[in-house]
Amino acid sequence: MPEVLPAPSETARKIESTILRRFASVGQTTVAKAIGGSDTKISRMISDGDIREFSVMLTALGLKTVPTEMKCYNPKDIEYLLYCQQQYARMLSTPDQLEWDADPE
């Protein structure tokens, strides 16, 4: 009797969904050739829950799947760039005025 795995987390479900969508768009034959296997092997991996187990493993390792055309950036770097952009926008919206240009009181 096959072992019943616990329900995967939301992250693992998203990873599994991403992998299965890619299988659908790329095709099992392409993936099978890449790993030196057959369409049957890929079908078995999907139906036996290997993809789900792999997705749970990636989640446990703190990894996720993203399409190769996507880029990943450190959130702190993005936060800094947004801060710089806000400062630049603030600088542009404030008229330059030197201290000696100000009216004396």
Side-chain angles (χ1 to χ4, degrees), residues 17-75:
S17 177
T18 300
I19 293 170
L20 293 175
R21 275 195 314 276
R22 278 300 166 130
F23 270 122
S25 68
V26 172
Q28 292 182 9
T29 303
T30 303
V31 178
K33 286 179 183 176
I35 67 168
S38 65
D39 288 3
T40 306
K41 180 177 182 176
I42 299 299
S43 293
R44 199 173 318 117
M45 289 173 67
I46 294 170
S47 64
D48 288 350
D50 293 346
I51 303 302
R52 174 165 289 164
E53 189 174 2
F54 183 71
S55 301
V56 171
M57 181 182 67
L58 288 176
T59 302
L61 292 170
L63 301 172
K64 61 182 177 179
T65 56
V66 295
T68 54
E69 64 270 9
M70 300 296 286
K71 305 291 182 211
C72 296
Y73 299 98
N74 184 327

Side-chain angles (χ1 to χ4, degrees), residues 68-86:
T68 54
E69 64 270 9
M70 300 296 286
K71 305 291 182 211
C72 296
Y73 299 98
N74 184 327
K76 289 187 183 273
D77 293 341
I78 300 301
E79 185 179 314
Y80 176 72
L81 290 172
L82 289 173
Y83 170 79
C84 290
Q85 185 274 331
Q86 290 167 352

Side-chain angles (χ1 to χ4, degrees), residues 4-19:
V4 177
L5 297 174
S9 68
E10 181 63 25
T11 302
R13 280 192 294 277
K14 287 179 181 179
I15 290 172
E16 180 182 14
S17 177
T18 300
I19 293 170

